[in-house]
């Protein structure tokens, strides 16, 4: 069989013609990245798929299409960013952020991916890493364009590190209730927080959000409960809640149920 691949290893650019092929596997000898020769798919999550080119043989001549259909860069780098976060691989996170910027995407795309990951794979909920990621998002408008990927990378790297090896967080379902009065939910929520009933407070808040109560009403509920005990958790809770609302200003209120219940 005849196959054609890009000569640059997608991991760090080493020339693949200095690698070896055995049993249909192409191996780069710089960092031992391995690829399926037929498809270009990598066996190593820290590398990336190598680009392949369609090959046909006509009358003994090898014909290669040098311009195969291009992949969707946003979809590709979004998937790779999730891979980098899941495996806590710095290089993959960095390359993904740069790839998304090169595709002229909004900063909210990697920010949403980092948020969904951080809110799913941290059983303890909101932590310092999510606050750092939000601070990064707040500073992006004040940075030069060439510096924004580095800032996003640093925020996402903190999220990957904080979630590494942690169990996932399972959100609660809303109540099957007919209660819709904001003042009632506010009383319930403050009471649950006051007696340190995390499950009751979370379900109360989730229900209020799913009912479509305004963001102002939800903010009033949460900040009222937090300031009932100003130094709750050494005062970090006030800062975490504030940062959570700032993050929603960036990525959209549709993420409120996952973010605020954390």
């Amino acid at each position: 069989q005849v196959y054609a691949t890009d000569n640059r290893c997608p991991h760090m650019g080493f020339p693949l013609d200095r690698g070896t092929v055995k049993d249909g596997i192409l191996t780069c000898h710089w960092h031992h990245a391995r690829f399926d020769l037929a498809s270009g798919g990598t066996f190593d999550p820290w590398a990336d798929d190598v680009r392949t080119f369609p090959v046909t043989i006509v009358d003994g001549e090898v014909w290669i299409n040098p311009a195969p259909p291009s992949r969707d860069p946003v979809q590709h780098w979004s998937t790779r960013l999730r891979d980098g976060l899941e495996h806590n691989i710095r290089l993959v996170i960095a390359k993904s952020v740069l790839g998304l910027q090169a595709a002229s995407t909004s900063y909210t795309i990697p920010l949403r991916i980092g948020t969904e990951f951080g809110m799913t794979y941290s059983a303890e909920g909101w932590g310092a890493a999510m606050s750092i990621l939000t601070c990064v998002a707040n500073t992006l408008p004040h940075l030069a364009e060439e510096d924004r990927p580095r800032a996003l990378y640093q925020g996402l790297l903190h999220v990957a590190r904080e979630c590494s090896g942690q169990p996932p967080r399972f959100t609660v379902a809303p109540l099957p209730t007919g209660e819709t009065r904001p003042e009632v939910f506010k009383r319930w929520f403050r009471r649950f927080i006051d007696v340190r009933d995390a499950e009751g407070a979370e379900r109360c808040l989730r229900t209020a959000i799913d009912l479509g109560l305004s963001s102002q009403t939800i903010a009033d509920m949460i900040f009222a409960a937090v300031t009932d005990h100003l130094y709750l958790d050494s005062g970090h809770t006030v800062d975490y809640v504030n940062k959570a609302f700032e993050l929603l200003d960036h990525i959209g209120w549709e993420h409120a149920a996952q973010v605020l219940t954390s």
Side-chain angles (χ1 to χ4, degrees), residues 93 128-130 132-133 153-163:
I93 295 172
M130 289 304 303
I132 292 171
L133 182 62
Y153 160 75
Q154 291 293 342
L156 292 165
L157 182 61
H158 277 86
V159 173
R161 286 174 172 171
E162 189 171 275
C163 294

Side-chain angles (χ1 to χ4, degrees), residues 43-242:
F43 294 94
D44 304 291
W46 43 266
D48 200 352
D49 296 343
V50 66
R51 192 180 187 191
T52 59
F53 302 89
V55 176
T56 56
I57 300 177
V58 181
D59 296 331
E61 292 183 331
V62 177
W63 290 77
I64 301 175
N65 180 359
S70 60
R71 64 192 179 191
D72 182 343
V74 177
Q75 180 180 1
H76 172 75
W77 290 116
S78 294
T79 299
R80 289 299 288 155
L81 178 55
R82 294 185 183 96
D83 291 340
L85 292 167
E86 290 172 2
H87 297 281
N88 191 18
I89 305 174
R90 295 180 300 164
L91 180 61
V92 174
I93 295 172
K95 290 168 69 174
S96 300
V97 171
L98 288 168
L100 287 169
Q101 186 199 39
S104 300
T105 60
S106 168
Y107 75 96
T108 59
I109 291 180
L111 188 60
R112 286 193 184 103
I113 293 172
T115 298
E116 290 169 2
F117 180 82
M119 294 289 86
T120 300
Y121 295 102
S122 178
E124 296 298 319
W126 188 284
M130 289 304 303
S131 287
I132 292 171
L133 182 62
T134 304
C135 288
V136 165
N138 291 341
T139 61
L140 289 179
H142 308 287
L143 298 178
E145 184 176 356
E146 62 268 23
D147 292 329
R148 291 172 187 168
R150 178 178 295 187
L152 264 174
Y153 160 75
Q154 291 293 342
L156 292 165
L157 182 61
H158 277 86
V159 173
R161 286 174 172 171
E162 189 171 275
C163 294
S164 180
Q166 295 299 311
R169 170 178 167 261
F170 300 101
T171 57
V172 300
L175 288 168
T177 179
E179 181 60 69
T180 60
R181 291 171 292 174
E183 64 273 15
V184 173
F185 281 100
K186 182 177 179 179
R187 288 201 306 270
W188 286 354
F189 188 69
R190 293 174 77 176
R191 187 181 310 150
F192 287 132
I193 294 297
D194 194 44
V195 298
R196 298 180 181 274
D197 182 356
E199 290 78 12
E202 184 176 351
R203 198 166 197 201
C204 175
L205 180 58
R206 174 67 191 274
T207 305
I209 293 171
D210 276 39
L211 283 173
L213 299 186
S214 70
S215 58
Q216 291 84 357
T217 299
I218 300 299
D220 181 54
M221 280 177 54
I222 297 178
F223 281 108
V226 169
T227 53
D228 283 339
H229 300 275
L230 190 59
Y231 294 104
L232 188 70
D233 193 22
S234 303
H236 291 308
T237 305
V238 177
D239 177 55
Y240 285 175
V241 167
N242 192 58

